[in-house]
Structure formats: C-alpha cells, structure tokens
Amino acid sequence: MPVIPKPRDGLPAHVAIIMDGNGRWAEARGLSRSEGHRAGLEATRNAVRFFAEQGVGTLTLFAFSSENWGRPREEVEALFDLFVSAIEAELPELVERGIALRFIGDRATFPSDLQARMTEAEHATAGNDRMCLVVALGYGGRWDILQAARRWVADSDRGADPEAAFSGYLSTAGLPDVDLLIRTGGEHRVSNFLLWQAAYAELLFIETFWPDVTNTELEEGLTWYASRQRRFGRVPAAGDAAAPGEATGA
Ligand code: FPP
C-alpha cells in the first residue's frame, strides 16, 4: 500500500463525508432522484479536487450504504450505472493527480461489471501517493467491525496494542483514523458510517444538500476544524495553547 504523505499543519489527515441530500435536492426541482445523484456526482468531483489540492491525505466518501439496498430497484440500478460510468470517466484524472482509489464495503453482490471496474481502478491507481480516495460502497460500520472481528478471532498474533492491531483488520487498514466527519443535508447522525474509525472525529453537520456544496462550505469546514481543540478524552496541560486541530487536549 502506498504511503500517503502527512497533511500540512492544521489540516485533517482523514476527512470523511456523508454526502446526503441528493434526493431532496432533486425533489425540490421537480427532478427524479437519479438526477439528484447525477448532480451529486458533480459535487463529488469538485470535493475530490478540493481536498487533493489542500493536501488532505485521505478522503472517504459514503456513496452506497448497506442499508441503501432497501431503496427502489430503479434507483439502485441507476446508482450502479452512475458508479460504473463515473469510475470510467474519472480514472484518467485520478491517475494524473496521483490519487489512489480504494473501495470499502461488501462488493460481492454488486453487478459484475461494477465489480470489474472497481478492481481495475484500484489496480490502476495503486502506486499513487498524493491522496487516498476511499469510496464506501455497500458499506456499513457494523459490517466492517463484524468482518474484522471474524478474522481477528481466527488470528493468534494480536500484538502489544490490541486496538491498533484490530484496526488492521478493518476495511480501512493502514489508513489513519477519521479526523473530520462532515454530513451534508441537515441530518445529525452518523448512519452506520466508519463507527470504529470515527471514534474521535470532529463532527460537522451542514444544512446544504450535497449537490449544492461548493468550495465555500468545504473551506469553512477546514477552518472550523482548525479551530477545534482535540483532547481525545484528556485534559489540556496548564497554559497549553491549542494548535489548530491538534491533539492537545476531547
Ligand atoms: C445520499 O442522498 C446519496 C447517495 C445514497 C448516493 C451518493 C452518490 C453520489 C454522490 C454520486 C457519486 C459518487 C461517487 C463516489 C461515484 P439521498 O439520496 O439519501 O438524499 P435524500 O436524503 O435527500 O433522499
């Protein structure tokens, strides 16, 4: 796995986004939900460029949850078609920008053409080290912990730091914990996303529907993150000036 560079001071090493609001964005315009997802793809492209240019090392996007299988068949199929065409269309730019693409989630039941595109794109970008773009497809945090636990119990070598060792069994093995978790679209919940990995993430909930998110909101998010004093359950030392986004103090 490529070593992703550390981000510059004050920047989160790992940003994760719950891209919510495509459906409501479309309904407000009298459009189909699938048109909302297509507009969401534009915002996704912009966000990937933005975070890569900022120097964030890892960006994880929640594109299809384990629970999304419960949506109408037509919407699910349209989403899969969108994922196939998006992977094909975006791959050259990812290669050019030095971005490694990695998918997390249970892909076994995805259509075979989608599975093939996912694997090809992972291989084509495996050597890239400017940013790791993680796309969660068929993903659920509980699924991730369970699949890790099954392999964990079968393995006798757990090392001196069991939490760090367990992280190595999760789908995000080798990636840093989430520093900043953003959810768009006005809901204030984490919806089974990265439950273990976001244990100490700063949580930012914004009202804007995902297709309307621009660099302005993303920049504000990074500025807000830089102002947070992260204590990880500890107490800051007397006179400690909190460095931006730094682990001085929950
Ligand atoms: C949530 O909005 C969005 C999704 C389930 C799909 C996200 C997909 C994209 C943004 C397209 C492209 C992404 C990649 C990475 C190829 P919602 O449908 O739940 O919106 P609602 O809450 O308003 O109904």
Side-chain angles (χ1 to χ4, degrees):
M1 184 188 308
V3 178
I4 303 296
K6 284 204 154 128
R8 42 163 230 271
D9 281 356
L11 266 188
H14 188 167
V15 175
I17 309 182
I18 302 176
M19 309 178 290
D20 197 15
N22 293 350
R24 282 166 289 160
W25 179 91
E27 281 156 22
R29 288 162 178 76
L31 303 171
S32 69
R33 294 180 58 82
S34 297
E35 285 170 294
H37 296 314
R38 279 200 289 279
L41 179 58
E42 293 297 316
T44 305
R45 187 180 294 121
N46 181 64
V48 171
R49 289 178 182 153
F50 174 85
F51 286 112
E53 282 161 14
Q54 293 294 316
V56 164
T58 305
L59 175 66
T60 302
L61 303 174
F62 207 3
F64 191 84
S65 72
S66 318
E67 293 73 26
N68 286 156
W69 280 108
R71 294 192 174 202
R73 199 175 139 185
E74 193 181 70
E75 181 175 347
V76 171
E77 286 176 354
L79 270 170
F80 289 161
D81 288 346
L82 187 69
F83 296 148
V84 169
S85 58
I87 295 168
E88 280 174 3
E90 303 309 323
L91 190 54
E93 182 172 337
L94 295 178
V95 170
E96 191 185 316
R97 287 179 179 265
I99 297 174
L101 183 59
R102 178 163 161 183
F103 294 96
I104 57 170
D106 183 2
R107 63 178 86 175
T109 47
F110 285 167
S112 53
D113 60 333
L114 177 54
Q115 289 190 43
R117 292 289 97 71
M118 291 162 71
T119 307
E120 280 163 23
E122 286 176 325
H123 287 151
T125 61
N128 293 348
D129 60 5
R130 182 154 168 229
M131 183 173 88
C132 185
L133 172 62
V134 184
V135 179
L137 286 182
Y139 181 84
R142 291 180 176 179
W143 166 84
D144 202 0
I145 293 169
L146 266 179
Q147 67 79 26
R150 287 195 182 102
R151 293 188 294 129
W152 164 263
V153 293
D155 201 337
S156 56
D157 182 16
R158 295 173 189 177
D161 180 347
E163 289 193 10
F166 188 80
S167 295
Y169 290 78
L170 294 165
S171 61
T172 48
L175 299 173
D177 278 354
V178 178
D179 296 306
L180 173 62
L181 174 60
I182 302 173
R183 182 176 186 142
T184 65
E187 304 290 0
H188 294 201
R189 49 180 179 254
V190 288
S191 297
N192 200 17
F193 191 38
L194 300 173
L195 297 178
W196 175 283
Q197 300 88 336
Y200 280 98
E202 299 293 323
L203 305 181
L204 179 61
F205 299 102
I206 59 182
E207 298 300 309
T208 312
F209 294 145
W210 178 247
D212 283 333
V213 168
T214 63
N215 287 357
T216 306
E217 280 87 3
L218 301 178
E219 269 156 19
E220 284 171 3
L222 290 181
T223 304
W224 175 83
Y225 174 82
S227 73
R228 303 293 302 153
Q229 194 194 41
R230 304 188 72 203
R231 294 191 295 275
F232 298 91
R234 298 190 293 268
V235 174
D240 243 3
E246 195 172 272
T248 54

